[in-house]
Amino acid sequence: MTSDAVNPDAVTADSDAPTADTPTTAAPPPGEVHAFQAEVAELLHLMVHSVYSETDVFLRELISNASDACDRLRYEAIANPALLADDPELKISIRADKSDSMLTISDNGVGMDRQELIDNLGTIARSGTRAFVQKLAQAKDGSGLIGQFGVGFYAAFMVADRIAVTSRRAGSAETWVWRSTGSAGFEVAPADPETAATFSRGTEIVLHLKKDAKKYLDEYEIERVVHAYSDHIQFPIMLIPGGKRPTGEPRQLNSASAVWQRSKSELKPEDYAQAYRSICGAFDEPAVTLHYRAEGRQSYAVLLFVPSGSLFDLYDPARKSHLKLYVRRVYITDDASLLPSWLRFVRGVVDSEDLPLNLSREMLQNNPQVAAMRKAITTKVLAELESVATKDPDKLATVWSEFGAVIKEGLYEEPDRREQILSLARFTSTKGTGRTLAQYVEALRENQTEIYYLAGEDLDRLKANPKLEAAKARGIEVLLLTDPVDALWTSLRLDFKGKGFKSLSQGEVDFSLVPLAEEAKAEAEAGQTDTPAVDESAVIAAVKLALGERVSDVKASQRLTDSAACLVAGGTGPDRELERLLAKQSRASGTKPILELNMKHALVGALSRESAGGHADEAADLAMLLFEEAQILDGELPDDPAAFARRLNRLVTRGLPG
């Protein structure tokens, strides 16, 4: 859902107002029947037949959406104070009626009109919905995913077999009722006259609870969920005892304080954990918590969290940051871009004392105060991650494993931050996992002047790539890069501590000044006379003739010691991995690769003999086999698999005894 569509559940009205399900003397008007959007129908099927162990999520989400509705009304009332005039005290109310097995959650927030009920409760206006539903279906417990994606209203069908939503948009004279059993569709109708007469504004949700969910009618159970997940909601959450026939005074369940405005000395780790779950819709523990107040030219409070687990929307094409912006405790937006897109996994709240309340989207984009806040907050986040890297390297390793691929986008997008990001970066290399560039530079081999890397899609395939052979023989560490973004930032020709990055699949590689490792040196000395020399120029000419336009050049390799051939990119243009990524988007440069041959390999020797003996067809078969073998080792299919199979069969058959 979009930010406007996430609050289907925003809830309503005066706590004493009759519900849409309260019997009245007037018959309810006929309703319009609508079908659910396909994705919603599938999602509801999961909810209705839910096997998730954590059903508390439904109440947390309905309260969160009610809070959002109150926030939006308070914001709209800045321009139109009359919207709040009759009922200025915004609140959320909960009533449990054991006699009818009904749980009611209501608020006096902004409410919804007829079309908003249809749009917000019948569709999910958000990209990636299909992928989300598939992931939710596979999850053993989807409560965390539900909170992340903002489809909390539908979680109510985990505990209810019928739901009625009554709502009146602030400033409107019409009250509407939405009803559904969570099956194929829903009904929308005008509220009956008696209900409409007593319903001022907001939304009321009545859940007809399933038999196995009646525990949520117990006051202590409601209080437990509110304390655990909604204590820091800024609006009072009132429990009205006795259901439709109140038996006592309403009781406030939450502290209703803006936790980010409180002093750090007042707060305990469990307070931050509760705030994280409430603000971020999460069930895990935050890996990193950053809480501070900025003073000076601008004054604002910041409470940020780095999750400990993965986020469903991390690779949403919109790449939006998810910080909620408040101005003097008034919610403004969650789309203020207070962090760059490459820190979009950071969640939390920024509350400014200086910004105007009537900020428009255009003002947010062009406001110099917002730009200054963004820069300062980004600096603080990176400084905190650096501190974590020093004090708790294992925690930083966890954060990097989840979000490192996103952070590395900053290398491409924000040049001024490159040194900080490279210092934070953790890599898998031929020497192990979690390696830093500082460790790499400290372990440079004698006469080694560059940081070598190899990029690809699969770690195991990279470890087996023949392009590593010469580096391995000299004990040179090679970074193994498997994130798609790696092909982008490495194309920028960056450096770390004066050492440039060099791809093993692009351009010339010369390790001759780096001494061989002892084991490789012994092997080289033992095998010096094993392989007869070949005429390199003749071999190259024969292979070029056989391959034609398939390659841009054929060369003797300096990077192979055991394998026969490999494909590399030229010294200019995209690396091999970047070329592959561009090809998937139909943006490939069309540059042909270079085929490098190990002139000491037996296959190359055989090709040399066949060519020298005038056996052009046999030499051509061997040349094509070398090229196709190099394609396979790079994770590519031969251009013509059938021809490759026939060619391989011919060569194998020739070698079989008569």
Side-chain angles (χ1 to χ4, degrees):
M1 294 184 186
T2 63
S3 58
D4 288 335
V6 174
N7 305 315
D9 348 284
V11 280
T12 357
D14 192 294
S15 57
D16 295 326
T19 72
D21 287 53
T22 302
T24 61
T25 54
E32 315 163 13
V33 177
H34 298 264
F36 283 119
Q37 176 192 28
E39 287 83 0
V40 172
E42 189 172 349
L43 179 62
L44 283 173
H45 178 79
L46 291 173
M47 298 301 181
V48 172
H49 301 89
S50 169
V51 293
Y52 303 141
S53 60
E54 183 53 79
T55 54
D56 290 352
V57 63
F58 90 91
L59 187 53
R60 181 197 72 179
E61 292 297 310
L62 294 185
I63 291 172
S64 176
N65 290 339
S67 174
D68 289 346
C70 291
D71 267 326
R72 287 202 307 279
L73 178 60
R74 188 164 61 174
Y75 181 68
E76 290 187 16
I78 295 169
N80 185 4
L83 295 177
L84 274 175
D86 296 335
D87 189 10
E89 298 299 322
L90 295 166
K91 63 182 180 294
I92 300 164
S93 300
I94 301 175
R95 300 198 304 274
D97 193 325
K98 292 186 177 181
S99 61
D100 293 330
S101 296
M102 293 194 311
L103 183 68
T104 302
I105 300 95
S106 62
D107 71 62
N108 57 347
V110 72
M112 290 176 281
D113 59 25
R114 170 188 166 277
Q115 192 59 46
E116 286 172 321
L117 281 169
I118 294 170
D119 293 342
N120 294 349
L121 305 190
T123 63
I124 303 176
R126 175 166 174 174
S127 62
T129 305
R130 173 60 59 186
F132 165 75
V133 171
Q134 291 172 352
K135 190 169 182 178
L136 188 63
Q138 297 166 4
K140 293 182 180 178
D141 193 327
S143 53
L145 292 172
I146 293 165
Q148 289 177 28
F149 199 74
V151 292
F153 173 76
Y154 306 115
F157 283 101
M158 292 193 293
V159 298
D161 50 25
R162 284 184 293 145
I163 297 178
V165 180
T166 305
S167 194
R168 175 181 287 188
R169 190 70 160 79
S172 171
E174 297 180 340
T175 304
W176 293 86
V177 181
W178 179 100
R179 296 184 181 89
S180 178
T181 60
S183 55
F186 57 91
E187 179 188 65
V188 176
D192 63 78
E194 186 174 343
T195 298
T198 57
F199 211 92
S200 59
R201 70 160 190 263
T203 308
E204 180 179 80
I205 300 176
V206 177
L207 308 180
H208 297 263
L209 296 181
K210 299 175 182 178
K211 289 182 179 180
D212 59 358
K214 290 186 179 180
K215 67 177 183 178
Y216 294 108
L217 297 172
D218 294 327
E219 291 186 7
Y220 72 87
E221 192 71 15
I222 296 170
E223 191 166 359
R224 176 189 66 80
V225 176
V226 170
H227 279 313
Y229 304 112
S230 306
D231 189 57
H232 301 293
I233 292 292
Q234 289 191 74
F235 304 99
I237 301 173
M238 308 301 296
L239 178 63
I240 302 172
K244 288 183 291 186
R245 298 173 180 81
T247 57
E249 290 296 316
R251 179 162 55 93
Q252 185 169 327
L253 300 180
N254 64 323
S255 62
S257 65
V259 64
W260 54 88
Q261 291 289 353
R262 294 165 64 184
S263 168
K264 291 174 68 172
S265 60
E266 298 177 31
L267 300 170
K268 300 176 181 179
E270 52 266 33
D271 295 319
Y272 284 120
Q274 287 181 0
Y276 168 64
R277 292 168 186 148
S278 175
I279 294 167
C280 306
F283 271 82
D284 60 337
E285 296 290 325
V288 179
T289 299
L290 177 59
H291 183 199
Y292 70 96
R293 175 176 290 279
E295 302 286 358
R297 287 189 175 182
Q298 293 190 79
S299 177
Y300 52 90
V302 178
L303 179 59
L304 305 181
F305 303 98
V306 175
S308 56
S310 61
L311 298 169
F312 173 75
D313 58 358
L314 192 60
Y315 294 103
D316 189 297
R319 299 171 70 240
K320 291 182 179 179
S321 70
H322 293 276
L323 299 192
K324 296 180 179 180
L325 174 63
Y326 286 75
V327 175
R328 296 184 289 283
R329 266 69 69 202
V330 176
Y331 172 74
I332 303 299
T333 182
D334 61 359
D335 191 21
S337 297
L338 291 170
L339 280 176
S341 60
W342 51 273
L343 289 175
R344 59 186 175 274
F345 58 89
V346 179
R347 306 294 160 98
V349 169
V350 177
D351 192 348
S352 171
E353 298 294 332
D354 308 305
L355 291 173
L357 284 168
N358 59 343
L359 276 170
S360 66
R361 184 180 298 271
E362 291 72 26
M363 289 174 67
L364 280 170
Q365 291 174 345
N366 302 307
N367 189 293
Q369 289 177 278
V370 173
M373 289 169 63
R374 171 188 167 115
K375 183 177 180 180
I377 295 169
T378 301
T379 298
K380 275 282 192 179
V381 170
L382 289 178
E384 184 65 20
L385 292 176
E386 288 172 344
S387 176
V388 171
T390 301
K391 297 176 182 177
D392 193 344
D394 290 341
K395 183 176 287 186
L396 193 280
T398 299
V399 171
W400 190 266
S401 67
E402 294 290 349
F403 309 117
V406 174
I407 296 174
K408 284 186 288 188
E409 293 173 12
L411 294 170
Y412 194 80
E413 297 177 355
E414 204 150 341
D416 292 344
R417 305 283 186 180
R418 286 172 181 165
E419 184 175 348
Q420 282 179 290
I421 296 172
L422 287 174
S423 295
L424 280 173
R426 298 295 185 265
F427 297 95
T428 295
S429 79
T430 51
K431 287 194 175 180
T433 59
R435 295 282 288 173
T436 67
L437 291 178
Q439 290 171 322
Y440 185 105
V441 170
E442 187 178 346
L444 286 175
R445 294 278 288 148
E446 182 183 345
N447 297 326
Q448 181 184 347
T449 59
E450 295 179 294
I451 298 170
Y452 293 99
Y453 69 89
L454 192 61
E457 294 181 353
D458 181 81
L459 183 59
D460 290 334
R461 183 170 288 157
L462 283 181
K463 289 179 178 179
N465 196 298
K467 301 184 185 80
L468 295 174
E469 291 171 357
K472 181 180 178 182
R474 286 165 172 77
I476 295 173
E477 183 176 8
V478 179
L479 305 179
L480 304 175
L481 309 179
T482 56
D483 294 320
V485 70
D486 292 325
L488 296 174
W489 70 263
T490 52
S491 69
L492 300 174
R493 304 293 190 265
L494 307 182
D495 70 87
F496 181 79
K497 306 296 184 184
K499 307 297 180 183
F501 289 83
K502 172 65 178 173
S503 172
L504 289 186
S505 64
Q506 183 175 30
E508 300 288 344
V509 172
D510 185 1
F511 296 140
S512 59
L513 296 178
V514 180
L516 286 168
E518 291 302 318
E519 183 180 347
K521 185 176 181 180
E523 291 177 0
E525 290 173 351
Q528 279 181 350
T529 60
D530 291 349
T531 306
V534 300
D535 185 340
E536 292 187 5
S537 60
V539 168
I540 289 172
V543 174
K544 283 184 175 180
L545 179 64
L547 298 183
E549 297 298 318
R550 293 178 179 86
V551 295
S552 62
D553 201 359
V554 180
K555 295 181 178 181
S557 181
Q558 302 299 316
R559 69 192 93 206
L560 299 175
T561 60
D562 300 318
S563 300
C566 66
L567 291 171
V568 300
T572 60
D575 184 25
R576 288 279 292 154
E577 182 61 19
L578 180 55
E579 181 75 8
R580 274 191 286 270
L581 289 176
L582 293 173
K584 290 179 181 179
Q585 303 173 26
S586 302
R587 294 167 54 196
S589 65
T591 304
K592 302 297 182 183
I594 297 168
L595 179 67
E596 288 194 356
L597 300 175
N598 179 1
M599 295 299 175
K600 295 181 180 180
H601 197 276
L603 270 180
V604 178
L607 188 153
S608 176
R609 292 191 296 275
E610 296 289 0
S611 179
H615 305 138
D617 290 343
E618 289 79 358
D621 274 350
L622 284 168
M624 285 298 299
L625 182 65
L626 289 167
F627 173 70
E628 290 163 336
E629 178 186 293
Q631 285 183 303
I632 293 169
L633 288 170
D634 265 2
E636 302 174 2
L637 284 175
D639 298 333
D640 187 342
F644 165 73
R646 291 193 298 271
R647 187 176 300 110
L648 184 61
N649 289 340
R650 284 198 301 271
L651 291 169
V652 172
T653 303
R654 269 184 227 143
L656 294 175

